[in-house]
């Protein structure tokens, strides 16, 4: 009772202040970092997901051609609207969609080559269709994260002019040529990424406009958060200003396997995608390497401002799909799904926000960009076992606060087995992972808050165990994850 009243006092004060007109409530649609840490995200490339309106397929003369993996394919906002139930059906609580700004290139289907910051690309729809998508998502209990780029525009200079006004001024850009040496941070920040025109954030006019733009985009759309592209290519101080102007949750892409390098950006943006953990997941689960690498990776968690908002993923649009890299069962290497399922079980139960790349639920196997950006289009098969497995993982995560942002502690690790416990406000979860291709039985010790005789049930199976002297048996089949809760 005491705790309850304590919890409500600040809220009551806030409500009174709002009533008195002293505090402006946050705009509908924004979601703070703590709330984001409780979500799970489905990430899709709008052009490759679902084509809901063929009339916009050839917008701007950049025609859709599904036979060319580098060209536009026709996916759009209406397509996403049509398939929100497919996403919701897996239990996700949020979607992240690729950038919506106007592009001007035959290969710019991905949206990362901005031409006009203040326009919505006609292949996808218009601003009112985007608002409709966001409103429809909200009505179904899905938050929306927009992908944004503030490091560069498309590649227009030196031969094809500039991006659209007001980004059409020479001194709004760096002119240092391509980044050649990716170990030189000055070059990384001030050079062009593969010819893409690098914006000059040292020019206050450029920075002022980028902040105007992100504020405009957020307020115009009512979006709940931002995924921020190419973060390591812009000085850190800029991101603090950008985050403030955006006035919402920002999840940055810092493409690096070094947690020391990545984690420092969480002092400027709200959070980062966990690329270091991605590499660990790839080694451990796709390539059957030692689970001690997980133990090692989590030793750097203190470096993140809030490890519970790290974006955790097995793959994305910039790397091979997991099933491309998976080595498969020894002697039967076509059999890769057990590895994927084990990796997904890990990402949904470990600290951080799980992010699933579209097509994972249909077993897509693409390797290099753009072949890892397949069309989902006609493959919305809700009977796929991977679809229902993800559904089970999301259900377990939704039902248990411990699995969202609960305190986490390792309980057992060896080369092919990993167990950890998570706790929050009386909710307890013990997760056992067998990464071996053979059955294993491990008695997991040192459990907390679980008295003798406590019965725990596996939320993604039908078995139960009883806690005895702070320990419990994990009897695991090959490549199995069990999620035990009270
Ligand atoms: Ca279309
Ligand atoms: Ca830059
Ligand atoms: Ca250029
Ligand atoms: Ca923020």
């Amino acid at each position: 009772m005491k705790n309850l009243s304590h919890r409500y006092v600040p809220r009551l004060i806030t409500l009174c202040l709002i009533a008195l007109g002293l505090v402006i409530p946050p705009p509908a649609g924004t979601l703070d970092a703590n709330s984001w840490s409780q979500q799970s995200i489905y990430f899709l490339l709008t052009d490759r997901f679902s084509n809901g309106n063929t009339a916009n397929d050839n917008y701007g003369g950049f025609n859709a051609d599904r036979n060319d993996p580098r060209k536009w394919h026709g996916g759009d906002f209406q397509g996403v609207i049509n398939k929100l139930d497919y996403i919701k059906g897996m239990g996700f609580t949020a979607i992240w969609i690729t950038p919506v700004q106007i592009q001007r290139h035959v290969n710019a289907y991905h949206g990362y080559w901005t031409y006009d910051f203040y326009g919505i690309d006609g292949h996808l729809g218009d601003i009112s269709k985007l608002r409709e998508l966001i409103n429809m998502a909200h009505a179904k209990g899905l938050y929306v994260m927009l992908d944004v780029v503030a490091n560069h525009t498309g590649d227009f200079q030196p031969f094809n002019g500039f991006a659209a006004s007001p980004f059409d001024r020479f001194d709004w850009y760096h002119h240092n040529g391509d980044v050649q040496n990716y170990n030189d941070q000055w070059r990384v920040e001030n050079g062009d990424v593969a010819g893409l025109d690098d914006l000059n954030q040292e020019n206050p006019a450029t920075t002022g406009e980028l902040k105007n733009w992100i504020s405009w985009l957020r307020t115009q759309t009512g979006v709940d958060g931002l995924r921020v592209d190419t973060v390591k290519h812009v000085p850190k101080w800029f991101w603090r200003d950008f985050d403030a102007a955006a006035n919402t949750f920002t999840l940055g892409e810092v493409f690096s396997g070094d947690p020391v390098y990545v984690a420092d950006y969480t002092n400027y943006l709200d959070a980062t995608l966990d690329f270091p953990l991605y590499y660990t997941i790839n080694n451990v689960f796709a390539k059957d390497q030692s689970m001690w690498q997980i133990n090692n990776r989590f030793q750097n968690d203190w470096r993140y401002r809030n490890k519970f908002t790290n974006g955790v993923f097995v793959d994305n649009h910039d790397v091979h799909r997991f099933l491309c890299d998976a080595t498969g069962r020894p002697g039967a290497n076509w059999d890769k799904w057990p590895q994927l399922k084990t990796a997904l079980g890990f990402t949904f139960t470990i600290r951080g926000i799980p992010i699933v790349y579209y097509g994972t639920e249909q077993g897509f196997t693409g390797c290099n960009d753009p072949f890892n950006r397949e069309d989902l289009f006609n493959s919305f098969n809700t009977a796929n076992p991977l679809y229902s497995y993800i559904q089970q993982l999301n259900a377990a995560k939704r039902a248990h606060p411990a699995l969202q942002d609960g305190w986490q502690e390792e309980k057992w690790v060896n080369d092919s087995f990993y167990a950890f416990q998570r706790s929050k406000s009386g909710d307890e979860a013990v997760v056992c992972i067998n990464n071996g291709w053979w059955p294993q039985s491990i008695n997991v010790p040192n459990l907390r808050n679980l008295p003798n005789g406590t019965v725990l049930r596996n939320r993604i199976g039908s078995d139960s165990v009883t806690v005895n002297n702070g320990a419990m048996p994990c009897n695991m089949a090959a490549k199995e994850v069990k999620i035990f809760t009270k």
Side-chain angles (χ1 to χ4, degrees):
M1 207 57 205
K2 195 178 168 206
N3 281 341
L4 256 180
S5 54
H6 269 278
R7 199 187 306 164
Y8 282 102
V9 165
R11 197 173 299 174
L12 261 175
I13 292 172
T14 307
L15 284 172
C16 294
L17 290 174
I18 290 170
L20 292 168
L22 298 175
V23 172
I24 299 165
T30 53
L31 198 64
D32 65 20
N34 282 336
S35 304
W36 270 105
S37 72
Q38 297 161 9
Q39 312 306 320
S40 64
I41 302 175
Y42 184 81
F43 164 42
L44 64 91
L45 269 86
T46 307
D47 179 66
R48 301 296 162 92
F49 182 66
S50 169
N51 190 351
N53 176 11
T54 53
N56 59 22
D57 289 1
N58 298 331
Y59 170 79
F62 304 114
N63 294 359
D65 177 1
R66 287 187 58 191
N67 293 317
D68 186 334
R70 290 179 175 82
K71 289 192 174 155
W72 297 82
H73 285 189
D76 48 37
F77 298 145
Q78 186 61 53
V80 180
I81 291 170
N82 295 348
K83 294 299 174 187
L84 286 172
D85 286 337
Y86 170 86
I87 300 169
K88 185 71 185 167
M90 272 176 283
F92 288 101
T93 61
I95 59 173
W96 148 22
I97 63 173
T98 39
V100 299
Q101 280 62 48
I102 293 183
Q103 311 286 299
R104 189 177 264 193
H105 197 282
V106 65
N107 301 133
Y109 65 89
H110 42 69
Y112 294 99
W113 298 349
T114 303
Y115 171 69
D116 186 351
F117 281 85
Y118 289 99
I120 305 297
D121 197 278
H123 292 94
L124 309 178
D126 58 18
I127 187 84
S128 63
K129 187 56 76 177
L130 175 57
R131 283 197 202 106
E132 182 185 333
L133 161 57
I134 293 169
N135 291 337
M136 292 285 286
H138 287 170
K140 291 181 185 296
L142 289 164
Y143 296 107
V144 180
M145 177 175 275
L146 276 186
D147 206 328
V148 293
V149 190
N151 172 61
H152 58 263
T153 66
D155 180 7
F156 305 106
Q157 302 169 54
F159 302 116
N160 295 299
F162 293 94
S165 174
F167 291 85
D168 56 351
R169 298 166 212 189
F170 187 84
D171 66 350
W172 282 34
Y173 295 87
H174 296 133
H175 300 274
N176 298 314
D178 277 3
V179 181
Q180 305 287 352
N181 178 3
Y182 273 80
N183 294 317
D184 179 340
Q185 186 63 28
W186 190 91
R187 294 282 166 197
V188 166
E189 292 177 5
N190 294 280
D192 294 354
V193 176
L196 299 170
D197 304 347
D198 201 54
L199 288 160
N200 177 9
Q201 287 85 3
E202 286 73 32
N203 182 338
T206 317
T207 294
E209 194 58 50
L210 286 168
K211 292 194 295 188
N212 284 343
W213 163 67
I214 203 62
S215 172
W216 170 86
L217 184 68
R218 215 260 310 145
T219 51
Q220 284 294 304
T221 58
V223 76
D224 307 289
L226 303 173
R227 181 271 188 187
V228 185
D229 189 59
T230 36
V231 165
K232 72 179 183 186
H233 295 283
V234 182
K236 285 171 181 169
W237 60 262
F238 170 81
W239 293 123
R240 188 169 282 159
D241 293 355
F242 186 79
D243 176 80
N247 191 25
T248 188
F249 178 66
T250 51
L251 178 66
E253 177 217 26
V254 183
F255 207 137
S256 164
D258 178 0
V260 179
Y261 183 86
V262 173
D264 192 46
Y265 284 90
T266 64
N267 296 310
Y268 301 88
L269 293 170
D270 289 313
T272 52
L273 291 160
D274 200 335
F275 273 92
L277 187 59
Y278 154 74
Y279 289 105
T280 305
I281 290 170
N282 191 270
N283 288 341
V284 170
F285 296 105
K287 294 165 183 157
D288 291 351
Q289 292 179 17
S290 173
M291 298 192 94
W292 279 105
Q293 291 185 43
I294 296 170
N295 165 286
N296 185 269
R297 174 58 63 238
F298 286 142
Q299 286 177 22
N300 280 291
D301 266 13
W302 62 272
R303 298 177 186 278
Y304 295 92
R305 176 149 61 111
N306 179 0
K307 64 189 177 187
F308 298 113
T309 51
N310 284 20
V312 179
F313 55 97
V314 305
D315 58 18
N316 65 30
H317 57 328
D318 290 324
V319 298
H320 293 175
R321 285 190 182 270
F322 183 94
L323 288 176
C324 167
D325 284 347
T327 53
R329 182 187 298 273
N333 60 15
W334 52 267
D335 187 13
K336 300 169 191 279
W337 283 15
Q339 287 170 310
L340 176 59
K341 290 172 74 173
T342 311
L344 288 170
F346 177 76
T347 61
F348 272 86
T349 51
I350 215 71
R351 95 288 183 277
I353 309 168
I355 302 173
V356 174
Y357 182 43
Y358 83 100
T360 301
E361 74 281 8
Q362 300 297 343
F364 283 7
T365 58
C367 294
N368 291 321
D369 166 9
F371 303 100
N372 57 352
R373 300 167 175 191
E374 305 94 320
D375 294 343
L376 199 57
F377 285 40
N378 301 315
S379 309
F380 293 97
N381 175 18
T382 57
N384 191 305
L386 293 171
Y387 183 99
S388 41
Y389 185 67
I390 292 170
Q391 196 173 48
Q392 287 182 292
L393 294 174
N394 265 315
K397 192 165 189 91
R398 287 319 300 158
H400 291 285
L403 292 171
Q404 297 165 16
D405 49 3
W407 164 89
Q408 174 180 312
E409 192 172 73
E410 182 179 287
K411 295 299 173 184
W412 193 266
V413 57
N414 67 31
D415 282 339
S416 56
F417 181 88
Y418 193 83
F420 57 97
Q421 181 176 3
R422 302 194 64 188
S423 310
K424 187 179 180 183
S425 312
D427 186 38
E428 299 292 337
V430 180
V431 180
C432 301
I433 303 176
N434 178 11
N435 200 40
W437 287 101
W438 57 91
Q440 294 196 69
S441 293
I442 304 277
N443 199 42
V444 174
N446 303 323
L447 303 177
R448 290 198 199 188
N449 314 326
L450 294 170
N452 259 354
T454 305
V455 175
L456 299 176
R457 191 163 77 80
N458 178 10
R459 294 293 149 177
I460 55 171
S462 54
D463 49 323
S464 299
V465 294
T466 303
V467 176
N468 183 17
N469 288 325
M472 56 172 265
C474 283
N475 300 314
M476 311 294 292
K479 291 285 178 189
E480 188 179 28
V481 176
K482 290 186 175 182
I483 306 171
F484 289 104
T485 65
K486 284 191 270 192

